[in-house]
Amino acid sequence: MLKLDLSKLKGFISQAQLQVMAGELADAHQKLYDPTAPGADFTGWTHLPEAYDKKEFARIQQTAKEIQQHSDVLVVVGIGGSYLGARAALEVFPSRGPEIYFVGCSLSPNELNKVMAKVEGKRWSINVISKSGGTTEPAIAFRLFRDLLVKQYGPEADRRIYATTDKAKGALKTLADANGWETFVVPDDVGGRYSVLTAVGLLPIAVGGSDITQLMEGAHQAMVRFDQRSMDNPVWQYVAARNLLYRQGKKIELFCSYEPSYTFLGEWLKQLFGESEGKDGLGLFPASAQFTTDLHSLGQYIQEGERNLFETVLYVDDTGFDLDIPYSNDNGDNLNYLAGKPLSFVREMAFQGTLSAHFDGGAPSLVLRMPQMDVSTLGELFYFFELSCGISGHVLKVNPFNQPGVEAYKKNMFALLGRP
C-alpha cells in the first residue's frame, strides 16, 4: 500500500492551507462523475477496475498464452497512451516470455530497422494498437511490419496480427474485420492516456507473463480506498499540494525514482499530466529524472538553479533483490567502512540525503513510498495517478480529457506531406 509523505513541504505549505483546499477538491472530484462536466464522455476509467469486460479479459489471458506458445517476439505498434502504460509495466516487470518491442512511437528509420533486425529468423507476432488506425507514426510502422510479416508467413500472417481498436468503426477496425484479425476493444469512454487497464495495456503485459488479475485487483483496491471525500485521502493531499505549489510559482513537477527500471513510469506520467493539464495557458510542466544517476547532471540545477520546481519521488523500499558490499584487503577505494552493508542501505541514505539537500536548497518534495513493487502495487499506482490527474485538471479548471493542441503539428505535417 502506497503512502504519501508531505514532510518535505514544511515551510512551503501548511496543514491549514491544505485544509482550505478541501472545498475545491470535493467539487473537482465530483466532476469526474458529473455527466455535464467537461470531458465527461471519457471518464470510464474511473470505474474500470470494477466494471471491466470480464469476457474480453478472459480472452486477453487466453490470447496471451497463445502468443507465448507460438512467438519468440511480440512487436507492439502504438504511440502515446497506446504504448506508454504497457511499456512502463514491462520495464518494471520484464517479460518472462516473448521478447517485446515497441514501435510506432517515432518516425526514426533507424529505430524501426533495429527492431526489424531483431525479428529476423524468429517466430513473431504483431499487436497493433490504435483507436482509429489513422495516426501517422503507428500507421506507417504497422504497414512496414505487416509487410515484413506477410513476407515471412504468407497467408498465415493474419493469424499473427492482433488489433486493439474501436469496437465498431475506424480504419484499423475495417482492416481487422476484412482480414480476420483477432480484435480487442479500446472503450469509447476511456481516452488513450487513461487506457493502461484496458486491452491497450493488458494484452502486452499479459504476454510478458505478469498476472493481470493482480494488476486489476490492485487498481480496484485503489479505486475503493481513494474514493474517500476528505483531506485524509492521499489523492486529495497530493492534488492539493501540487496545485498550491503551482500557485506559489513552482511551475515544474519533476517525477523522480531511484530505480532505472522505473524510467518509463516517468514517461507515462509525463504524458498523463502534460496532455491532461497543459492547455489554456495553464498547467505544471511534467519532467522526470532518474536518481542517483541524474544527481550528477540535473542535480546541480535542482539544488541551485531557478526555484521553479518541486519533486514527486517514487520510492520503493524492497525492490526484490539486494547485494552486500564486500570487504577488500587493500581498501584502495576506502570503502571498507561500508563492508557488509547491503546496497539498499546506501541507496536509502542517498535518498534521505538528497531529500534534505534539495529541501534546504528550496526544492520541496512529495514522496510516494511503497514497501515493495509487485503487480498489485503497480495497479494501485496507475489508478492513484489517473485519479489524481483527473481531479487536478478540474481544480485547474481545464478539461483533463481532451488534447486539442496535439492536432496542431499533425495539420502542419499533413499539409507539408501533401495528404489528400
Side-chain angles (χ1 to χ4, degrees):
M1 181 181 291
L2 64 82
K3 294 182 179 179
L4 180 65
D5 179 0
L6 302 181
S7 62
K8 293 302 181 184
L9 297 183
K10 188 176 180 181
F12 295 93
I13 294 174
S14 67
Q15 192 64 37
Q17 287 175 299
L18 288 172
Q19 289 296 333
V20 167
M21 289 285 292
E24 284 186 68
L25 290 163
D27 291 343
H29 198 157
Q30 186 56 37
K31 279 189 170 72
L32 294 179
Y33 310 98
D34 180 353
T36 66
D41 291 344
F42 292 96
T43 55
W45 56 270
T46 57
H47 58 267
L48 193 63
E50 185 173 65
Y52 62 92
D53 185 331
K54 307 301 189 296
K55 289 184 178 179
E56 179 169 86
F57 190 85
R59 194 160 56 87
I60 289 169
Q61 292 173 308
Q62 181 58 39
T63 300
K65 291 177 183 177
E66 293 171 3
I67 294 172
Q68 290 167 345
Q69 290 168 359
H70 67 53
S71 294
D72 303 311
V73 175
L74 177 66
V75 176
V76 179
V77 183
I79 194 168
S82 294
Y83 93 103
L84 279 170
R87 184 159 185 181
L90 285 159
E91 292 283 324
V92 176
F93 303 112
S95 177
R96 301 191 301 274
E99 299 170 76
I100 301 178
Y101 300 110
F102 293 87
V103 301
C105 40
S106 78
L107 291 169
S108 167
N110 288 333
E111 290 304 307
L112 291 173
N113 185 59
K114 287 176 185 177
V115 178
M116 287 177 171
K118 288 173 180 176
V119 303
E120 187 175 353
K122 295 183 178 178
R123 304 176 305 157
W124 62 290
S125 299
I126 298 173
N127 176 206
V128 55
I129 306 169
S130 177
K131 181 74 168 173
S132 66
T135 305
T136 306
E137 294 90 339
I140 290 173
F142 180 52
R143 177 177 284 210
L144 289 166
F145 278 86
R146 182 188 175 196
D147 182 64
L148 197 64
L149 195 71
V150 169
K151 286 177 180 176
Q152 180 170 336
Y153 288 104
E156 185 194 337
D158 286 331
R159 294 195 294 272
R160 291 178 170 270
I161 297 175
Y162 304 86
T164 306
T165 187
D166 191 271
K167 66 179 179 183
K169 63 183 185 298
L172 182 55
K173 175 61 175 172
T174 301
L175 267 176
D177 288 347
N179 292 280
W181 302 336
E182 181 87 12
T183 61
F184 299 92
V185 174
V186 182
D188 290 338
D189 57 357
V190 179
R193 58 189 176 275
Y194 294 85
S195 67
V196 64
L197 298 175
T198 72
V200 170
L202 295 177
L203 180 58
I205 293 170
V207 172
S210 290
D211 188 339
I212 58 173
T213 299
Q214 290 184 10
L215 186 75
M216 295 301 280
E217 286 175 354
H220 183 260
Q221 290 168 11
M223 184 186 81
V224 174
R225 178 188 175 198
F226 300 135
D227 193 44
Q228 183 180 8
R229 310 300 175 92
S230 78
M231 288 307 300
D232 293 328
N233 185 345
V235 167
W236 279 32
Q237 294 170 17
Y238 171 61
V239 172
R242 67 192 301 273
N243 278 278
L244 286 168
L245 289 167
Y246 175 63
R247 293 170 189 178
Q248 292 178 15
K250 304 293 187 184
K251 303 296 187 182
I252 299 169
E253 180 171 16
L254 186 64
F255 294 102
C256 317
S257 73
Y258 283 74
E259 286 294 317
S261 62
Y262 298 173
T263 297
F264 262 87
L265 271 176
E267 296 302 305
W268 178 76
L269 287 164
K270 282 155 63 175
Q271 189 209 6
L272 180 66
F273 283 97
E275 202 169 32
S276 296
E277 293 190 317
K279 54 200 69 164
D280 301 338
L282 299 169
L284 282 156
F285 183 83
S288 61
Q290 183 56 55
F291 291 166
T292 60
T293 303
D294 288 333
L295 293 176
H296 297 263
S297 53
L298 293 176
Q300 175 60 42
Y301 185 94
I302 297 167
Q303 189 69 40
E304 295 184 340
E306 187 174 350
R307 301 296 78 194
N308 59 355
L309 61 82
F310 67 93
E311 296 172 328
T312 296
V313 185
L314 279 61
Y315 193 82
V316 178
D317 295 321
D318 180 1
T319 60
F321 185 78
D322 212 343
L323 292 167
D324 289 338
I325 299 170
Y327 179 84
S328 172
N329 288 329
D330 58 32
N331 196 29
D333 51 15
N334 295 314
L335 284 178
N336 272 353
Y337 75 101
L338 293 175
K341 295 188 185 303
L343 189 55
S344 60
F345 169 77
V346 181
R347 184 189 64 146
E348 173 74 22
M349 295 304 101
F351 162 61
Q352 296 292 349
T354 301
L355 281 178
S356 296
H358 291 177
F359 176 78
D360 292 343
S365 298
L366 302 92
V367 179
L368 272 174
R369 191 153 188 165
M370 293 148 278
Q372 61 184 10
M373 179 63 82
D374 54 24
V375 179
S376 177
T377 301
L378 184 60
E380 180 186 19
L381 196 64
F382 278 143
Y383 195 86
F384 173 88
F385 279 116
E386 287 179 350
L387 184 60
S388 297
C389 189
I391 295 173
S392 190
H394 283 306
V395 168
L396 197 61
K397 293 184 169 43
V398 300
N399 180 349
F401 307 114
N402 68 353
Q403 53 281 336
V406 174
E407 301 304 316
Y409 93 90
K410 294 180 183 178
K411 291 178 181 178
N412 291 344
M413 178 179 68
F414 292 150
L416 292 167
L417 289 171
R419 178 181 179 179

